[in-house]
Amino acid sequence: MRRSNRAVLLSKIYLDGPLSRHELTQLTSLSPASVSTLVAEFLEEGLVEEAGSVESDGGRPRVLLRVAPSFGHVIGVDVGETRVTVELFDMSMAALAKADYPIEPNQLEPRVTVEHILEGITAVCAQAGVDESTVLGVGVAFPGVVDSGEDGLVHAQHLGWADGVPIGTMLRAGTRIPVHIDNGAKTLGQAEMWFGAGRGAQHAVIALVGSGVGAAVVADGASYRGSRSSAGEWGHTTLVYGGRRCRCGALGCLEAYVGAEGILDRYRDANGQGAPGIDEESAIGALIATADSSPTAREVLTQTVGYLGAGIATLINLFNPERIVLGGWAGTALGGRWLPEIRSAAAEHALKLPFAQTTITLCELGPDAVALGAATLPVARLLADGGLRPAAVAQSALVRGPRVRRS
């Protein structure tokens, strides 16, 4: 019960702070005495710190509280299809260091990926002068279906990982820092829900459009994950029956039309040669830059906007969200130029009432949002554990021992 109360209070301070003790009492089901006692514990542990004060109605100024940025560090890893990005953050999610490891197209091998991640952990800690013992955890975001089991199996058919690769086990063999693994769209979704364009919404879909396409679905304020965490594979819903072959092997998937690789393939088919650029991001940027001068680029991108709007309409009809947030590097690039047209295309394909109840907006956290979201995975674990460090949680479990089922 005590840990549960700590978790409730700490989560409120972290996600909605800075807050005063009086506000915490009003926003939680805890009594003023419980709030005061727990806040005193947090202050003594260095978990929470004072962050100024505000005037009260006729009394002394109320002291505001926030989670102390220096309490610990977290690392977020974005395993993309062209690079592995590793970033170090403090508890306020201020970025302290970053390491990038480019990957050749179609060369995302499990062993090499794990080596990049482990090397990146060491590199960012060294850059920031941070001892690895202060790192509360590493969150890793992958492009594929991430099984919620202990082994951290990653299933990614387009990478040749269809049978599942035990990435969690492989990483834990190389570091003593706790490792948390999730799908990239879901980490983007958590970042936008905590700090960005999804903040305050109870029903939302955060759509990621990059090399691949995915979505994070939030219902009643909680992430909808399905029975084994694979919910949200929006990119592999069928857009065109018998259409273009997707990287997953199926025909007509949405990803084959609005994912970066699908866009560039369609341009190559129409133009006879590919868009200029050293990688997908620069090629998509070049394509967008020539949309006004190149009839072929304009036609391909106009079709892409229509396909994307139709895909968003499917999300609206299925989930009736109050908000859809379009993110991912390609989604941000397309939405930054054609968001009104994407909205219009969605309106053409969605039911009228659900569409009227939905706002469609761009993500706010920029191109590193997936890594930032990955870094929230160990933060979420800390909040759920009431602020206990991972070692303390493990020790507590050993002291309690296994639960005995009584008949």
Side-chain angles (χ1 to χ4, degrees), residues 226-266:
S227 63
R228 294 288 290 181
S229 295
S230 70
E233 287 295 328
W234 175 50
H236 301 291
T237 56
T238 302
L239 179 70
V240 179
Y241 178 74
R244 301 180 65 87
R245 186 165 298 279
C246 180
R247 300 182 303 168
C248 74
L251 298 176
C253 291
L254 176 68
E255 183 174 299
Y257 293 86
V258 306
E261 185 175 311
I263 297 171
L264 295 173
D265 283 346
R266 290 191 296 110

Side-chain angles (χ1 to χ4, degrees), residues 106-345:
N106 304 315
Q107 297 298 314
L108 196 65
E109 296 292 334
R111 179 185 58 80
V112 175
T113 302
V114 168
E115 289 175 356
H116 285 329
I117 294 170
L118 295 175
E119 182 180 343
I121 291 170
T122 301
V124 294
C125 288
Q127 284 179 38
V130 165
D131 192 300
E132 289 189 16
S133 65
T134 69
V135 179
L136 303 174
V138 179
V140 188
F142 277 92
V145 174
V146 178
D147 194 294
S148 57
E150 186 64 28
D151 291 336
L153 291 175
V154 177
H155 302 258
Q157 292 175 214
H158 60 288
L159 300 177
W161 302 8
D163 295 331
V165 176
I167 291 291
T169 299
M170 295 169 70
L171 283 172
R172 292 178 185 117
T175 180
R176 300 181 66 177
I177 301 172
V179 174
H180 310 264
I181 298 175
D182 208 342
N183 167 267
K186 291 182 174 64
T187 69
L188 170 69
Q190 182 150 293
E192 289 291 339
M193 291 301 294
W194 280 20
F195 309 117
R199 191 172 173 86
Q202 289 297 299
H203 301 271
V205 180
I206 292 81
L208 183 151
V209 180
S211 298
V213 177
V217 179
V218 176
D220 285 325
S223 175
Y224 177 73
R225 309 184 68 85
S227 63
R228 294 288 290 181
S229 295
S230 70
E233 287 295 328
W234 175 50
H236 301 291
T237 56
T238 302
L239 179 70
V240 179
Y241 178 74
R244 301 180 65 87
R245 186 165 298 279
C246 180
R247 300 182 303 168
C248 74
L251 298 176
C253 291
L254 176 68
E255 183 174 299
Y257 293 86
V258 306
E261 185 175 311
I263 297 171
L264 295 173
D265 283 346
R266 290 191 296 110
Y267 177 77
R268 187 179 299 109
D269 291 345
N271 190 54
Q273 62 183 20
I278 59 174
D279 55 24
E280 286 184 348
E281 292 187 42
S282 59
I284 290 292
L287 205 60
I288 292 174
T290 59
D292 293 331
S293 58
S294 165
T296 304
R298 182 166 57 253
E299 180 181 1
V300 169
L301 290 169
T302 298
Q303 291 173 349
T304 300
V305 165
Y307 291 137
L308 182 53
I312 288 174
T314 298
L315 295 175
I316 293 171
N317 291 343
L318 280 175
F319 299 110
N320 185 210
E322 61 190 282
R323 196 175 306 167
I324 288 180
V325 178
L326 178 59
W329 63 265
T332 302
L334 291 167
R337 176 76 181 270
W338 291 292
L339 188 60
E341 290 81 0
I342 292 170
R343 289 182 179 130
S344 295

Side-chain angles (χ1 to χ4, degrees), residues 341-402:
E341 290 81 0
I342 292 170
R343 289 182 179 130
S344 295
E348 291 178 9
H349 294 88
L351 293 170
K352 185 175 181 179
L353 180 59
F355 177 80
Q357 296 167 335
T358 305
T359 60
I360 303 171
T361 188
L362 289 178
C363 70
E364 295 179 354
L365 299 178
D368 291 337
V370 173
L372 174 66
T376 67
L377 299 178
V379 175
R381 182 72 266 165
L382 180 74
L383 299 180
D385 289 333
L388 297 179
R389 292 179 181 273
V393 174
Q395 182 62 33
S396 175
L398 289 174
V399 170
R400 286 197 311 270

Side-chain angles (χ1 to χ4, degrees), residues 52-74:
S53 61
V54 293
E55 295 296 326
S56 61
D57 296 332
R60 292 183 301 175
R62 291 174 179 155
V63 175
L64 297 176
L65 303 162
R66 68 176 180 185
V67 171
S70 60
F71 178 74
H73 301 89
V74 289

